[in-house]
Amino acid sequence: ARSLQLQFNVALVTVSLLLVSLAVWFALRFADRQVEPLTDLVGAARKVGQGNFALRVEGRTGADEIGLLNRAFNRMTAQLEKQTDDLVRANRQIDDRRAFMEAVLESVTAGVISVDHDANVLLMNNSAQALLSEADSVDLTGQPLVDLSPEICMMIADGKDRGVVTHAKGSELLTLAVTVAPGNNGYVITFEDITRQLLDQRQAAWSDVARRIAHEIKNPLTPIQLA
């Protein structure tokens, strides 16, 4: 009887251990099934944080809490990807426009300067630097305009939008035709060197005067006869 009871007890303990082990195994499997999607989501969030906005979570997308969380995560990454693409596209367009404007500014012969409201240089093309400064290779960005051309700076202070000023460049005295236009962050100044043009006009005027004088000297009686 004792032997039978002992065998029964051993069998009962064995079955109990098997049932407990099976219950623990099912509990672990269930826990893994619940935790694994969250672990995958954490890993996906880490990759998104590193810049992979094209990532989408695959797996449960049902009506339960995990499915709702996965769908929300996928919507978020889709929006982030679209916004990032829009920003990259906008930045590319801005860079293209900036490069185009810089190419245009460097190709024109007129001097172009952009200054802020305090008359500090923000941008200057090569033509402007060649006219105003003797140092062609020095970056003048951030320099006060009054140090480069007090006359142009005085035009801005007086509120004039166009005029003719003289500028001393070394031993040369240049005559500049200046136009000032208000910009978003200050003023845009364009100017051309008309020194040669004025000199040609003066020479042409003096040539005409000399021709008239020579004509009068050769024909002193012409005015009298015409009278």
Side-chain angles (χ1 to χ4, degrees):
R2 289 184 177 180
S3 176
L4 183 60
Q5 186 179 6
L6 182 60
Q7 291 178 359
F8 176 78
N9 290 337
V10 170
L12 182 61
V13 170
T14 303
V15 171
S16 300
L17 290 176
L18 288 175
L19 290 176
V20 170
S21 300
L22 188 62
V24 170
W25 182 80
F26 274 113
L28 292 176
R29 289 286 296 175
F30 181 78
D32 289 341
R33 188 173 182 276
Q34 297 300 319
V35 173
E36 184 178 0
L38 297 177
T39 304
D40 295 339
L41 197 59
V42 170
R46 188 178 294 110
K47 292 180 181 179
V48 170
Q50 295 173 353
N52 185 9
F53 300 121
L55 183 65
R56 301 292 184 270
V57 175
E58 302 292 340
R60 292 162 59 180
T61 56
D64 60 348
E65 290 78 3
I66 299 298
L68 180 63
L69 188 59
N70 287 345
R71 291 197 304 273
F73 181 85
N74 289 339
R75 284 196 302 269
M76 179 193 71
T77 54
Q79 293 174 355
L80 287 174
E81 184 179 18
K82 182 179 181 301
Q83 293 173 358
T84 302
D85 291 341
D86 292 342
L87 287 174
V88 170
R89 191 179 304 107
N91 288 334
R92 187 180 299 113
Q93 291 177 353
I94 292 173
D95 291 340
D96 292 342
R97 291 177 181 175
R98 183 185 296 113
F100 175 75
M101 291 299 299
E102 290 177 354
V104 170
L105 289 177
E106 294 304 330
S107 64
V108 299
T109 57
V112 180
I113 300 177
S114 174
V115 298
D116 58 18
H117 291 290
D118 297 325
N120 296 316
V121 176
L122 300 176
L123 182 146
M124 175 184 291
N125 67 347
N126 289 337
S127 298
Q129 186 160 348
L131 289 172
L132 299 184
S133 176
E134 297 181 5
D136 295 337
S137 60
V138 177
D139 185 9
L140 299 178
T141 303
Q143 295 292 325
L145 180 62
V146 68
D147 294 344
L148 300 175
S149 178
E151 297 81 7
I152 297 179
C153 199
M154 185 66 67
M155 280 187 57
I156 297 176
D158 293 341
K160 297 180 179 179
D161 57 355
R162 61 182 64 245
V164 176
V165 301
T166 56
H167 173 72
K169 180 185 176 183
S171 59
E172 296 183 85
L173 188 62
L174 305 179
T175 302
L176 306 177
V178 184
T179 301
V180 179
N184 293 331
N185 299 319
Y187 303 91
V188 177
I189 307 163
T190 58
F191 53 91
E192 288 188 273
D193 181 12
I194 59 173
T195 307
R196 185 75 247 177
Q197 180 181 350
L198 292 178
L199 183 60
D200 292 341
Q201 290 177 354
R202 290 172 184 171
Q203 289 177 348
W206 280 112
S207 296
D208 185 63
V209 170
R211 186 168 55 254
R212 291 176 179 271
I213 292 175
H215 178 74
E216 295 297 333
I217 292 175
K218 290 180 180 180
N219 303 284
L221 297 179
T222 300
I224 298 176
Q225 294 174 354
L226 291 176

